[in-house]
Amino acid sequence: MRPGTPRMLRGINDRAALDLLLEHGPLSRTRLGELTGLSKPTASQLLTRLEAAGLVVASGSSRGGPGPRAQLYAVNPRAGHVAALDVTPVRIVAAVADITGRIVGEHELRTPRRPAPDAITNVMSALEGAATAAGLDATDLLHVAIGTPGAFDPRTRRLRYARHLPGWHDPDLLDRLAEALAVPVHVENDVNLAAVAELGSGRARGVDDFVLLWVDEGLGAAVVIGGRLHGGVTGGAGEIGFLPLPGTPLVRDVRRGNAGAFQELAGGPAVLALARSLGLRATSAPAALAAAVSTPEAGDQLLATLGQRLAVGIAALVAVLDPTLVLLSGSVAWSGGEPLRAAVADELGSLAAGRPRLELAVVREGPVLTGALHTALTAARDDIFDTVRHLANPGSARPVTRRSP
């Protein structure tokens, strides 16, 4: 083994300091030295180096306490910007964030069904709208992450499991997208990104093995093993709407129908039909669950029946994966809230040999967009926070200045 070079050790210390500044906010030289274990002179040299690289800026001074105020330092928000997009069949929501994670621009593009829709044009329009709102050009971005239904097969690079997303099935789409954006781009399944959001700032922080069950109009799951998303050989790990289950007839030729037994048992249309059979009036599955929570008898029966149906599918996942945690997410799960979670837990206790924690996801405001931003920020920070490379090649990291409105 070769000992670390001084430049490499400086790079490690630089990244540790930047991560601490992101976690704690503005810090003084003394406090940063305490958190990193570096001496005051070394911490001062580190901050001088990061300030010269455009990664750190002076940010006011400390308040209170005896003695003179200390200069505070923070990560320079203009060191870089990233973008995230949440794509559905009816709209694209885009957001731009600075390198600290603060959202500085947003835009929503409605995408009504049209003959031969152009996915690239829609993505660029949504992205440019968010960039303009942030006072930037789309070319100023360091990384873009996109969440879509279904998954891109890593072998064929074609979108699978999402026939309801028109315009996204061109076999050359990913290459065309990368060429149009001219920045690194990452495309990921939307439910997987909801799990990334929970890993970053939700119930799954510090959990290495968990499953997120997305309960909405459609059913889906994200599988995290050893702290990493598991996509499977085709990217379809977690497409549990196709899961054959007791309680409903087997669905043959699921690829043609784009649905399976679990979707027929507990997907949005099945939930709505069940609610109406019990006399609950609603126009959507989430609305039906919201009504059930405040309606005795009929509502209780809907919650119990749906809890049983969901528990059957979760038990199959638990038997194979044995996770520490199962999270319920999506609009139906949130509308059902704690009563639905309790109904699922009661049934799961007698169906599953394992005993994972069953909890409601907490990232409810744009979970797909939140996960996409987290993905883009992680990639961008790994790039521009690499001071070993950038200080050896001045100019390779470029702070971005916002345009005047």
Side-chain angles (χ1 to χ4, degrees):
M1 295 181 62
R2 298 175 57 189
T5 65
R7 189 173 72 174
M8 181 182 297
L9 295 175
R10 283 197 299 269
I12 293 171
N13 289 336
D14 289 347
R15 180 60 194 263
L18 289 164
D19 286 341
L20 286 168
L21 289 171
L22 288 172
E23 179 182 357
H24 294 278
L27 296 171
S28 66
R29 284 185 174 91
T30 300
R31 182 57 179 153
L32 187 61
E34 292 172 352
L35 291 172
T36 58
L38 300 174
S39 66
K40 288 183 180 180
T42 302
S44 295
Q45 293 170 5
L46 178 150
L47 286 168
T48 299
R49 184 166 62 248
L50 294 179
E51 195 170 14
L55 297 176
V56 163
V57 292
S59 179
S61 57
S62 60
R63 296 179 178 274
R69 294 181 176 182
Q71 177 68 62
L72 300 178
Y73 294 87
V75 172
N76 181 5
R78 295 188 295 179
H81 293 81
V82 302
L85 291 86
D86 176 10
V87 177
T88 75
V90 297
R91 57 102 179 102
I92 299 176
V93 177
V96 170
D98 64 36
I99 202 66
T100 69
R102 183 174 65 95
I103 294 177
V104 294
E106 296 179 275
H107 183 73
E108 179 172 340
L109 175 71
R110 306 302 296 182
T111 54
R113 288 185 176 274
R114 293 172 180 161
D118 187 346
I120 303 298
T121 299
N122 286 342
V123 166
M124 293 304 298
S125 178
L127 188 63
E128 288 167 1
T132 298
L136 302 168
D137 290 318
T139 55
D140 293 328
L141 301 171
L142 298 176
H143 198 93
V144 176
I146 302 174
T148 71
F152 281 88
D153 190 320
R155 303 168 304 174
T156 65
R157 295 173 63 78
R158 298 191 68 161
L159 184 66
R160 302 185 62 176
Y161 316 107
R163 291 176 57 190
H164 61 299
L165 191 64
W168 283 78
H169 296 83
D170 181 347
D172 298 321
L173 181 67
L174 291 181
D175 292 332
R176 291 173 52 219
L177 194 58
E179 182 178 358
L181 293 174
V183 297
V185 59
H186 181 92
V187 185
E188 181 60 85
N189 170 260
D190 50 4
V191 180
N192 282 350
L193 290 175
V196 170
E198 292 292 330
L199 269 171
S201 57
R203 296 280 191 202
R205 290 192 70 176
V207 179
D208 288 336
D209 302 285
F210 75 94
V211 173
L212 181 141
L213 179 65
W214 186 261
V215 191
D216 212 296
E217 290 301 317
L219 298 176
V223 179
V224 175
I225 301 173
R228 301 182 65 178
L229 285 168
H230 176 69
V233 67
T234 67
E239 293 291 339
I240 59 168
F242 298 104
L243 189 66
L245 290 173
T248 189
L250 288 177
V251 176
R252 305 289 184 179
D253 200 0
V254 295
R255 287 181 293 181
R256 176 174 295 181
N258 200 40
F262 198 13
Q263 175 66 21
E264 298 296 320
L265 188 67
V271 173
L272 189 56
L274 176 62
R276 289 174 174 172
S277 73
L278 295 171
L280 293 171
R281 294 184 178 181
T283 57
S284 68
L289 265 295
V293 170
S294 58
T295 305
E297 297 184 4
D300 294 341
Q301 189 173 347
L302 174 59
L303 289 164
T305 303
L306 181 58
Q308 180 185 36
R309 293 179 180 186
L310 291 173
V312 170
I314 295 172
L317 295 174
V318 170
V320 175
L321 299 171
D322 191 22
T324 301
L325 171 69
V326 174
L327 291 173
L328 299 178
S329 188
S331 63
V332 171
W334 294 325
S335 295
E338 175 57 25
L340 179 60
R341 188 211 66 82
V344 175
D346 287 345
E347 192 69 24
L348 189 63
S350 61
L351 291 178
R355 292 292 185 271
R357 298 195 334 259
L358 181 70
E359 300 184 14
L360 290 167
V362 297
V363 181
R364 302 188 182 188
E365 187 67 31
V368 176
L369 199 66
T370 299
L373 279 173
H374 182 85
T375 299
L377 285 166
T378 298
R381 289 168 182 170
D382 285 346
D383 180 18
I384 68 170
F385 288 177
D386 185 353
T387 58
V388 172
R389 176 162 58 89
H390 290 309
L391 292 177
N393 300 282
S396 58
R398 50 179 178 80
V400 174
T401 303
R402 292 165 60 95
R403 297 198 312 263
S404 298

